[in-house]
Every structure is written in structure tokens, then in C-alpha cells.
Amino acid sequence: MKFSRLAAAALLAAGAAAAHAQSSVTLYGSLDAGVAYISNQAGHANWIAEQGGAQPDRWGLRGSEDLGGGNKAIFLLENGFSTLTGNTIKAGAMFNRQSWVGLQSDRLGTVTIGHMTPFNFDWLGPYSTAYLGQNWYMFHPGNIDELANTSVVQIDNAVRYVTPDFAGLKFAGMFAFGNTTNFAVGRKYSVGANYANGPFKASVVYSNENNRTPNVAVLGGPTFQGQPVGTYAASNVQNMGAGLSYVIGPWLLHALYTRVKLESPGQSDTYQSWDGGANFATGAANQITFGVANTTLSGKRWTQVQLGDVYSLSKRTQVYVSGVYQHASGNGAVTAVNTISPSSTSGQLVVMTGMHHSF
């Protein structure tokens, strides 16, 4: 009897060890903080402490369980916060950036369900000057094209499928339920394709969203499509774009186009952006970044130019300095540099220096 109990205990311990070996949970995160100079903010120059200048502050848990046969159960929980204050970016939502669970198969692809970022963020954002130049201020005015993760672009109640990799090519689709008594209210769907082969990468995305509330308030003017800008709601938004990048020696070249059709009853306007630039590696630890972007909407135009330098102290730690100049023109447009209140003139310069660390 004593031997059988010992044997059972040994078997249980062995089973637990095997299960532990087949499962993993990773804690990861990013902290970024610095100081920024603003040439004109409400009529005067200003200095501010700033966070998330190069990469957003966040922490998360990523896990998987090996189910055998090339299959896994996977999950992701991610929170956005401010290094400067310790507060979450979106009050009342602990995992405001992402929270999903799913199944992954080497042969059949990946299915996930939950609170997820849109394909524009996942597949188009990485071609933007803001992303590759590591400068938050270079995302396009109002983030209407959803390239930046602002904790309001995420899609709730979503089901996503991504195909296996076919010689560098992946396809994907996503559908989000509105979870209301009217199936069409809040409904969203997206499709996309992503290709990566050696130094060349390219992506294309199309999304269709009902009852979205784009942030047009920061773009100037008291109304948009006959609605107050502070409470504007589009009945339908069609968001599409394409991007590519290519590495040649020390150069990384990138280009991106996004187009967003905003519709409300009897009204339709198009927001579009052209974005391109280059990174030049001056050595193994240092790169110079440069980019330009041009955005238009309803007779308004915003032109942005970025120049920066990023130096890696290690694989996890970087220091940087970067500047963005934005010029606004036409139809009452005001400067709309991300998270910075507008200038009293048509131009605004923001220069930030800071430190980023990941774990």
C-alpha cells in the first residue's frame, strides 16, 4: 500500500512537470519617459514631461499551452499606463490594450476572440514614420486611420482568423459583434494581407465599421457633417490602406497610404494620408530617422516633417532625441500634433528627448 501511494505521487509529480514544460507564461513590458519642448501651445512656448514618446508604456502577460500535433492554446492580456503618473491610460479598463484567447495551429492558422487591436494598427502602423522613426507625435492628425494604439481604437467582441504562413504571405479576417439588440449597430469587419520576404515587407488592409466615433474634435471647427465635433458619430467608416518597406544595406525605406471614408446620414468626407521616410544606421547601435506625412480632410491639410536619432545602450534600452514640425492650412484647420493642444499659429514644433526600456 505504501509503495502504491509513493508510485502514485511520483506519477502525479511527473505529470505536473510535463504539463509545466509544455506551457509558458511571459511577463513583458515597456517604459518610456522624457522631456518635450513645444514651440507654441495656446500662444506661448512650453516644456512638459512626456511619456510614450518612442514606444507606449505597457505591460502584459502572454501565454501558450502545447496541445500536441502543432496545436496550441494561446492568450494575451495587455495594459497601457503612464510611467509619469502610474495611472492606466483608460480608466476602468485594466487590460485596455488587448485581452483575448485563442487556438493556434501550424497547419490551419490562428483563431482568437476578445478585445483586440485593428489590422490598421497591427499591419499598417509598422510602415509609418511614427512607428519606424519611434516618434509618437508623427501619427496622423486625430488618428482617424487608427495606426496608433490610443486605447480607444481597440475592437471589442471580436473574432479574428489569420492563415498559416504561405511562403511569407498571410491573409486575415476579423468580425466584431455590436452586442446590441440591433445586429448592425456597432458591427465591424476587416480583411487584410501581409507579406514578408527577406528585406521586403508589404501589407494591405480594408475595414468597415458601423457607429464609430472618430476624434475629429482636434482637427478644428465647431461642427463636422452637421454634428458638434465633440460628439460626432459616423454611421459608417470605411478604413483602408497599404504600406511597404525595404532594407538596402544601412538604409530602411518605407511608405504608407491610408484612406478613411466617414459617413453620416446625407454626408460623406474622405480623410487620407501619405507617409514616407527612411532610417539610416550609422553604426550597430545608432540610427538616424527621417520622415514626412501629408494628411487632408474636407479642405484641411496637415503637413508633418520628422527628424530624430535613436541610440541603443543595449538590446533593451535606448535613448533618443526627435523633433516634429507640423503645418496646418485650409478651412479652419488647426495644428493637431498627437496629445499636444494646438498652436495659436499655423505651425508647431515639438522636440522630445527621452529614454525607453523594455523587459
Side-chain angles (χ1 to χ4, degrees), residues 1 5 21 29 40-41 47 52 54 61 104 119 123 136 144 155 182 200 207 209 222 233 243 268 279 347 350:
M1 180 65 71
R5 288 176 181 174
N40 186 316
Q41 191 176 31
W47 290 86
L61 296 168
Q104 178 180 301
F119 288 140
W123 284 5
W136 160 259
I144 308 300
I155 299 173
N182 184 334
F200 179 73
S207 299
E209 307 165 294
S268 179
N279 292 4
V350 182

Side-chain angles (χ1 to χ4, degrees), residues 39-286:
S39 64
N40 186 316
Q41 191 176 31
H44 56 83
N46 196 16
W47 290 86
I48 61 171
E50 184 65 292
Q51 58 87 25
Q55 291 194 36
D57 295 342
R58 63 196 186 277
W59 70 272
L61 296 168
R62 180 187 295 111
S64 67
E65 180 190 11
D66 191 342
L67 303 176
N71 303 312
K72 293 181 180 179
I74 56 176
F75 75 86
L76 181 68
L77 301 170
E78 188 172 281
N79 169 268
F81 67 96
S82 168
T83 297
L84 298 179
T85 66
N87 294 329
T88 60
I89 295 301
K90 186 176 181 181
M94 183 175 183
F95 297 112
N96 45 60
R97 289 178 62 91
Q98 296 192 71
S99 60
W100 50 256
V101 66
L103 293 171
Q104 178 180 301
S105 167
D106 294 341
R107 186 170 60 90
L108 300 176
T110 303
V111 175
T112 52
I113 182 168
H115 172 75
M116 288 177 266
T117 47
F119 288 140
N120 275 44
F121 171 80
D122 293 334
W123 284 5
L124 294 184
Y127 300 106
S128 68
T129 298
Y131 182 95
L132 291 172
Q134 297 189 51
N135 191 315
W136 160 259
Y137 300 124
M138 269 299 287
F139 282 113
H140 306 149
N143 195 38
I144 308 300
D145 50 11
E146 299 182 309
L147 300 180
N149 187 334
T150 57
S151 294
V152 296
V153 303
Q154 282 82 352
I155 299 173
D156 294 335
N157 313 311
V159 180
R160 172 187 290 194
Y161 171 70
V162 180
T163 69
D165 188 308
F166 301 108
L169 182 62
K170 290 183 179 182
F171 298 95
M174 179 161 56
F175 186 89
F177 298 88
N179 274 19
T180 69
T181 55
N182 184 334
F183 183 76
V185 173
R187 181 270 302 148
K188 300 176 176 67
Y189 65 84
S190 305
V191 292
N194 187 61
Y195 179 74
N197 186 3
F200 179 73
K201 296 180 181 180
S203 298
V204 60
V205 168
Y206 172 82
S207 299
N208 190 296
E209 307 165 294
N210 284 349
N211 311 105
R212 186 182 145 198
T213 55
N215 184 21
V216 298
V218 300
L219 304 181
T223 63
F224 181 71
Q225 294 185 348
Q227 302 179 44
V229 293
T231 57
Y232 171 75
S235 56
N236 181 258
V237 175
Q238 297 177 52
N239 193 352
M240 63 197 78
L244 56 85
S245 67
Y246 192 79
V247 177
I248 309 174
W251 291 93
L252 167 61
L253 309 177
H254 56 93
L256 172 67
Y257 172 71
T258 59
R259 180 183 177 91
V260 186
K261 187 175 183 180
L262 303 168
E263 296 182 328
S264 58
Q267 304 278 349
S268 179
D269 291 275
T270 299
Y271 171 104
Q272 61 180 346
S273 291
W274 298 88
D275 187 320
N279 292 4
F280 178 72
T282 61
N286 192 78

Side-chain angles (χ1 to χ4, degrees), residues 284-286 310-320 354-357:
N286 192 78
V310 181
Y311 183 80
S312 297
L313 300 174
S314 70
K315 293 181 66 174
R316 295 179 179 271
T317 304
Q318 301 83 38
V319 290
Y320 60 88
M355 170 183 173
H356 168 258
H357 177 75

Side-chain angles (χ1 to χ4, degrees), residues 286-310:
N286 192 78
Q287 64 175 338
I288 297 171
T289 66
F290 171 77
V292 296
N294 184 74
T295 302
T296 57
L297 172 67
S298 305
K300 299 179 173 71
R301 181 182 299 273
W302 298 266
T303 302
Q304 299 171 212
V305 181
Q306 180 267 344
L307 179 65
D309 187 90
V310 181

